Amino acid sequence: MRKIISKSAFFRSIQWRLVLILMLTTFVLMSVVWVFLNARVENIFYEDFKTNIETNYEALGINQENTDFQKLLKELKENALIAGFIHGPDKSYTIIDKSTAEILYSSDELYQTDKIQFRNGIFKSENLLYVLSQDDPEAVGNRQKYTKSERGDFYDYVKIQRLKDGEYVLFFKYSRERALDVLNDFSNAILVSTVISLFAAVIIGSVLSRTITLPINDIMHRAKKITDGDFGYALDVKSDDEVGMLTRTFNFMSSRLKSMLTEITSEKKKLETILNYMTDGIIAYNRTGEVILTNPAAEKLLKSKAADIVSFDEFMSTLGIKLNMGSIISDNKIIEPLHKVQYKDKYIKIHLAIFTDENNQTDGIIAVLQDITEEHKLDIMRKEFVANVSHELRTPLTSVKSYTETLLDGALQDKATAEQFLGVINEETDRMTRLVKDLLTLSQHDGGIKLNFEDISISDLVGSCADRMKREAKLKNQELKVRIKQGIPIIQGDRYRIDQLIINIISNAIKYTPEKGRITVQAHCDKEFVIISVEDNGIGIPAPDLDRIFERFYRVDKARSRQMGGTGLGLAIAKEIAVLHGGNITVKSKPGKGTHISIFLPVRKPHQQAL
Ligand code: ADP
């Protein structure tokens, strides 16, 4: 669809200017022709008039010796009528006395009717005045081509004639009317030609200029489309001239631009993908400290949307880092680029780097954020673990050491005491052995143990575990009931570890249930899991501790646990075994009322489940 060009836009267009140039050129050309023709016509008329007089007057053979005024008049009258060169409807001759400037005779019609007006008319002639003022008999008045007069303009030719009876001035007059008629005809013809030429100039100019403006318009429209990102097709090169070259260059430029843009877009997309999928958070700030870019990892880490991420200085002060954009820009470097800080509930490692402009001056900052919360927790756990292990080993070692020293100091002699002391040493050694065994189990888990999967009948396994624990329960006069539902499927699992898991849970129930307590071990199943639950009516676990009892070395009551021979690792091991099998352990408890622990083991083998 062609756009309608506004009036002012049209008059600013190249097309209009070219038409205007052509019109002006035509106009100037026609004007010059007109002026030139005018001058030529005027000249032809005057020259013709003058030459005619000069030649014909010469032929009369008038001179001072043979002619007086009367003879001259007679000659002129006679010859003028014959030759017609000095007299006619538009021509006349006049004889003036040079000394008095008195008109002696004139063949002019006006002279016959109004002598004064005639005299006034011819005395406007510069030629006449000039000749009257001259003494030289050869003087000729031809200085001015024509004289303006109220009764019509006229050409005039003036000469001096010395005769026997005095000096006379001959004034030849030729009306300019005919010349003006011819000039008018010429002017009209030229005016018509000018109008036609101007009209032709408009048409030719528009057609010609379109050959220039059309390709330029095409280029302009394509350039506009390119600005909107639409590269489309290449323009047709219609000529081999400058416009054709321009179109070709434009096509080349547009294809280069397109390929460069494609390259930049693909680079940008690559960068965006990297930024979107990298696990480290990235925040870029400009030199005023405003956020110019963030990636999803940064938003997730800071738990805020891109728009809510604050300025650099604000962010640094929130993190307690003594840095601000002003000082970084003035230093042009970051003296301490690496920081480990706490932000809300996260631990963050933050690495700051500056990016520079073309003059190598700081143009902004990129902050790379790494979530080291897990690392930090593990670090703390590792430290706690080492402290816990040392502590757990120190207590039995101290007592073994002190009992051994007492024995060496002489208690060995007293057999009863010695036996009692050796019993304690044995118990403490057992505890250390248990602890080391548990630690070994955990370290195996941490190292990634391989489970020996085999078919297990949970009904049988639970029955066997309960049987083995019955003796211990009996020692505390506890009632240990076993209820196993029919139809529990055979599951895949590591028999040794599931056995260890069930024993741990039942033994805890016995440990933390007072004498004469009641413990119920049940097994049933649903679609997905076989569920083994161990319920007791023992001391129970306070609500705040419920979440933590599966942590390594976590004990609700340390003294009681130790007294019971506990290591604080039993539930941690149990949970890890359940999780390794694709299951879980949950706990419900009320202090003083009892505890209910449920073990969930998947009916299908964990990796089969994943399929
Ligand atoms: P421990 O070797 O101390 O028994 P566990 O990891 O087996 O260590 O248990 C962790 C803690 O959980 C115990 O110290 C105890 O306080 C609590 N606990 C575990 N089972 C029971 C239960 N059945 N009744 C009450 N408290 C329990």
Side-chain angles (χ1 to χ4, degrees):
M1 204 179 78
R2 287 200 76 83
K3 271 195 177 174
I4 298 160
I5 302 167
S6 73
K7 242 185 184 177
S8 66
F10 173 74
F11 287 114
R12 275 186 275 119
S13 70
I14 289 184
Q15 195 174 358
W16 163 246
R17 281 185 212 175
L18 287 173
V19 168
L20 195 70
I21 288 170
L22 218 63
M23 281 170 72
L24 285 175
T25 315
T26 312
F27 183 75
V28 169
L29 216 68
M30 293 311 276
S31 305
V32 169
V33 168
W34 182 76
V35 170
F36 180 75
L37 273 179
N38 265 351
R40 279 296 294 155
V41 167
E42 202 90 61
N43 220 29
I44 288 168
F45 267 86
Y46 182 70
E47 283 303 315
D48 182 46
F49 163 67
K50 198 178 98 181
T51 323
N52 212 352
I53 291 167
E54 275 170 356
T55 340
N56 290 300
Y57 189 79
E58 196 74 26
L60 293 179
I62 291 167
N63 59 46
Q64 194 178 358
E65 282 76 38
N66 62 13
T67 312
D68 61 2
F69 171 73
Q70 287 306 327
K71 192 174 175 207
L72 170 72
L73 190 60
K74 192 174 153 257
E75 282 286 335
L76 283 177
K77 275 183 180 172
E78 278 169 11
N79 284 291
L81 286 173
I82 303 157
F85 68 100
I86 47 169
H87 186 71
D90 48 1
K91 286 178 186 167
S92 68
Y93 60 89
T94 304
I95 306 168
I96 301 162
D97 187 332
K98 185 167 183 294
S99 51
T100 59
E102 187 193 338
I103 300 171
L104 301 173
Y105 175 79
S106 177
S107 64
D108 205 284
E109 276 169 23
L110 183 62
Y111 180 73
Q112 314 299 331
T113 54
D114 191 342
K115 286 192 174 58
I116 295 175
Q117 207 172 27
F118 174 74
R119 188 186 164 82
N120 286 346
I122 65 167
F123 271 85
K124 276 183 185 161
S125 162
E126 260 184 50
N127 296 339
L128 177 62
L129 297 177
Y130 169 75
V131 168
L132 283 174
S133 66
Q134 292 301 308
D135 289 332
D136 178 10
E138 298 300 315
V140 174
N142 57 357
R143 314 185 85 204
Q144 191 188 40
K145 272 198 192 100
Y146 66 90
T147 305
K148 285 184 177 290
S149 138
E150 282 148 30
R151 299 297 292 255
D153 301 350
F154 55 84
Y155 300 106
D156 54 274
Y157 180 78
V158 192
K159 76 184 253 98
I160 297 175
Q161 182 63 61
R162 262 188 199 161
L163 297 178
K164 280 184 204 166
D165 52 353
E167 209 169 24
Y168 299 92
V169 169
L170 290 173
F171 182 83
F172 298 98
K173 183 179 161 220
Y174 177 25
S175 167
R176 200 169 157 244
E177 218 164 286
R178 263 192 65 204
L180 280 179
D181 285 347
V182 174
L183 281 178
N184 268 345
D185 282 351
F186 266 119
S187 295
N188 286 338
I190 285 176
L191 189 72
V192 172
S193 317
T194 307
V195 170
I196 293 169
S197 304
L198 285 178
F199 191 65
V202 171
I203 292 170
I204 295 169
S206 317
V207 173
L208 279 182
S209 61
R210 271 170 76 87
T211 60
I212 298 172
T213 54
L214 269 186
I216 292 177
N217 271 349
D218 281 353
I219 291 176
M220 197 175 78
H221 285 124
R222 184 124 308 275
K224 266 187 196 158
K225 285 199 166 175
I226 288 175
T227 323
D228 299 337
D230 172 13
F231 282 91
Y233 48 86
L235 292 169
D236 279 347
V237 181
K238 289 175 186 145
S239 58
D240 238 357
D241 54 9
E242 285 87 342
V243 176
M245 292 264 281
L246 177 68
T247 315
R248 209 171 286 133
T249 315
F250 182 83
N251 280 341
F252 176 68
M253 188 196 78
S254 123
S255 80
R256 286 278 300 144
L257 204 67
K258 190 180 176 184
S259 66
M260 267 162 72
L261 212 72
T262 318
E263 218 171 286
I264 291 170
T265 312
S266 119
E267 284 301 318
K268 196 173 161 248
K269 283 207 172 126
K270 265 188 236 162
L271 210 69
E272 266 172 17
T273 315
I274 294 172
L275 279 175
N276 282 343
Y277 289 97
M278 70 190 289
T279 47
D280 289 352
I282 301 279
I283 309 175
Y285 298 91
N286 62 14
R287 50 181 296 126
T288 56
E290 286 161 3
V291 177
I292 49 171
L293 181 143
T294 61
N295 70 343
E299 288 163 28
K300 196 175 152 205
L301 187 60
L302 303 180
K303 290 183 182 150
S304 27
K305 284 185 209 135
D308 301 335
I309 294 179
V310 291
S311 72
F312 180 76
D313 290 357
E314 231 173 297
F315 187 43
M316 288 298 114
S317 83
T318 316
L319 298 180
I321 300 173
K322 287 193 181 77
L323 270 179
N324 62 62
M325 191 54 97
S327 65
I328 292 172
I329 288 177
S330 69
D331 293 350
N332 208 23
K333 65 176 178 194
I334 302 172
I335 296 157
E336 231 183 299
L338 197 68
H339 298 268
K340 283 183 183 174
V341 289
Q342 189 175 0
Y343 181 78
K344 294 180 183 167
D345 58 341
K346 300 256 180 193
Y347 285 89
I348 301 174
K349 190 154 121 186
I350 174 163
H351 201 120
L352 300 166
I354 56 168
F355 56 90
T356 54
D357 58 14
E358 64 279 2
N359 302 320
N360 261 345
Q361 291 304 305
T362 306
D363 204 25
I365 289 176
I366 290 189
V368 183
L369 312 175
Q370 252 178 318
D371 185 357
I372 51 161
T373 314
E374 281 307 309
E375 207 180 299
H376 185 80
K377 271 190 195 159
L378 280 174
D379 201 36
I380 289 176
M381 268 166 71
R382 188 182 50 79
K383 283 180 189 155
E384 273 180 5
F385 185 73
V386 173
N388 281 330
V389 171
S390 323
H391 184 75
E392 291 301 325
L393 284 172
R394 200 180 60 204
T395 320
L397 274 174
T398 315
S399 74
V400 167
K401 173 86 178 157
S402 64
Y403 281 105
T404 317
E405 272 175 1
T406 319
L407 283 171
L408 287 173
D409 282 351
L412 202 55
Q413 311 307 324
D414 181 353
K415 199 180 173 219
T417 317
E419 268 180 13
Q420 191 206 334
F421 279 16
L422 283 170
V424 174
I425 290 171
N426 190 35
E427 233 173 72
E428 294 295 340
T429 319
D430 279 350
R431 187 215 285 259
M432 282 194 282
T433 312
R434 267 200 310 278
L435 185 68
V436 171
K437 221 170 115 190
D438 283 352
L439 284 172
L440 268 173
T441 312
L442 282 173
S443 102
Q444 272 177 352
H445 288 185
D446 291 343
I449 49 153
K450 199 174 176 296
L451 296 176
N452 291 318
F453 279 99
E454 56 182 299
D455 289 348
I456 305 169
S457 158
I458 289 295
S459 325
D460 292 352
L461 193 64
V462 170
S464 130
C465 289
D467 280 348
R468 268 176 281 150
M469 297 309 290
K470 265 190 182 142
R471 205 178 67 88
E472 253 184 78
K474 212 172 179 189
L475 286 175
K476 287 180 83 174
N477 287 321
Q478 289 165 337
E479 185 190 350
L480 180 67
K481 274 193 199 163
V482 181
R483 279 190 208 143
I484 296 168
K485 284 234 166 122
Q486 294 288 310
I488 295 177
I490 302 289
I491 67 157
Q492 289 270 306
D494 187 319
R495 180 183 294 278
Y496 169 74
R497 293 194 195 274
I498 293 178
D499 185 285
Q500 189 185 4
L501 156 60
I502 299 167
I503 293 283
N504 268 358
I505 304 297
I506 301 176
S507 92
N508 271 355
I510 296 170
K511 266 197 281 183
Y512 301 107
T513 303
E515 298 238 338
K516 296 184 183 152
R518 206 175 53 246
I519 293 145
T520 314
V521 180
Q522 300 183 75
H524 65 283
C525 75
D526 61 17
K527 264 189 181 173
E528 281 181 72
F529 293 100
V530 171
I531 302 137
I532 305 155
S533 68
V534 177
E535 203 174 346
D536 64 56
N537 61 350
I539 58 169
I541 304 162
D545 298 295
L546 278 177
D547 284 344
R548 304 200 57 193
I549 54 168
F550 294 103
E551 285 175 20
R552 293 175 184 188
F553 293 112
Y554 191 82
R555 287 177 285 205
V556 177
D557 182 342
K558 281 196 186 344
R560 188 197 285 258
S561 160
R562 273 205 201 97
Q563 189 196 332
M564 302 284 185
T567 58
L569 297 171
L571 280 183
I573 292 172
K575 176 127 187 172
E576 281 178 22
I577 293 172
V579 171
L580 277 170
H581 279 83
N584 201 5
I585 297 184
T586 59
V587 58
K588 283 182 211 156
S589 185
K590 270 193 182 158
K593 292 265 161 98
T595 305
H596 186 166
I597 291 195
S598 303
I599 306 160
F600 293 82
L601 292 171
V603 173
R604 288 161 173 237
K605 204 175 165 184
H607 66 270
Q608 285 173 335
Q609 209 176 22
L611 288 169

